[in-house]
Amino acid sequence: LIIYILSSLVATSYMLSLLILLSKNIILSKRYNLSNIFKTSNKIWYKNLLIIVLVICISYLGSCVSINIGKFAVNSLNFSLNLTKIISFSIYLFVLLGIIIFLAYSSFFLVLNNKLILSIKKSFFLVKNNYIFTFIFLLIFILINELLDFSSTLLKTNNVSILFELIKSIFLVPILS
């Protein structure tokens, strides 16, 4: 399982780097050179992997904190389960919207300037100046993703699940990146 997760993260990082590089080259020069794109991607994929791992770690930390605060609220403070769910969800939402959202464009800036810390700083300032737009964009993506997952679960057939996964992979992931 660990090998699968690590290889999936590496492949995602590499493919995301390739996709952004390809987009950059098409936009800037109206043509692209695949050998240069692969060479550049070979130099930056591991930095992109660090960004992905950072997002996963912050997300995991946020979920652990929200779950433990929820447990504390139920056990020690005798809060109702519904109130605890609201509190835990609010804390996790704060972690997503208050911290992780600022890393939204760091992979893009990493491809542009090949510097990890600088890409995180530029992403932070871009999101800070365009927070509402970034929030709405990510919210739409999350809602579409959840709607597809819910529809797939509701219909409970493998063919529909595969179709929804293809839609997410072909349309949502490239748009988000």
Side-chain angles (χ1 to χ4, degrees), residues 77-91:
L77 303 176
N78 295 324
F79 284 6
S80 70
L81 188 58
N82 288 334
L83 178 61
T84 303
K85 287 179 184 178
I86 292 170
I87 292 169
S88 294
F89 179 74
S90 299
I91 292 168

Side-chain angles (χ1 to χ4, degrees), residues 78-161:
N78 295 324
F79 284 6
S80 70
L81 188 58
N82 288 334
L83 178 61
T84 303
K85 287 179 184 178
I86 292 170
I87 292 169
S88 294
F89 179 74
S90 299
I91 292 168
Y92 188 65
L93 193 62
F94 170 76
V95 169
L96 289 177
L97 300 179
I99 300 170
I100 294 177
I101 194 170
F102 289 99
L103 298 172
Y105 302 107
S106 49
S107 291
F108 175 75
F109 283 118
L110 178 65
V111 169
L112 292 180
N113 61 37
N114 197 12
K115 293 181 173 63
L116 182 64
I117 301 299
L118 182 63
S119 67
I120 293 172
K121 286 180 183 178
K122 284 188 173 193
S123 178
F124 177 83
F125 288 116
L126 181 66
V127 171
K128 182 180 169 191
N129 295 331
N130 301 289
Y131 187 84
I132 297 299
F133 173 74
T134 304
F135 172 75
I136 291 170
F137 181 73
L138 290 176
L139 186 63
I140 289 170
F141 173 78
I142 290 169
L143 290 175
I144 291 171
N145 190 47
E146 291 301 315
L147 182 63
L148 288 171
D149 283 344
F150 178 73
S151 299
S152 176
T153 305
L154 194 62
L155 297 173
K156 293 186 181 181
T157 62
N158 286 338
N159 293 338
V160 172
S161 296

Side-chain angles (χ1 to χ4, degrees), residues 5-105:
I5 292 171
L6 289 176
S7 61
S8 294
L9 288 175
V10 167
T12 301
S13 172
Y14 192 81
M15 296 305 289
L16 182 61
S17 298
L18 282 173
L19 183 64
I20 295 171
L21 280 166
L22 182 63
S23 300
K24 173 190 166 192
N25 284 350
I26 290 172
I27 290 169
L28 295 179
S29 65
K30 306 292 185 218
R31 58 186 169 83
Y32 55 92
N33 182 338
L34 280 179
S35 64
N36 287 342
I37 291 172
F38 279 103
K39 285 178 188 176
T40 306
S41 188
N42 287 338
K43 294 177 186 176
I44 65 169
W45 71 267
Y46 63 93
K47 294 177 186 175
N48 204 7
L49 179 64
L50 290 174
I51 292 170
I52 292 170
V53 169
L54 179 64
V55 168
I56 290 170
C57 289
I58 292 171
S59 179
Y60 179 74
L61 181 65
S63 67
C64 287
V65 167
S66 67
I67 288 169
N68 285 324
I69 288 176
K71 286 180 183 177
F72 175 76
V74 167
N75 295 334
S76 299
L77 303 176
N78 295 324
F79 284 6
S80 70
L81 188 58
N82 288 334
L83 178 61
T84 303
K85 287 179 184 178
I86 292 170
I87 292 169
S88 294
F89 179 74
S90 299
I91 292 168
Y92 188 65
L93 193 62
F94 170 76
V95 169
L96 289 177
L97 300 179
I99 300 170
I100 294 177
I101 194 170
F102 289 99
L103 298 172
Y105 302 107

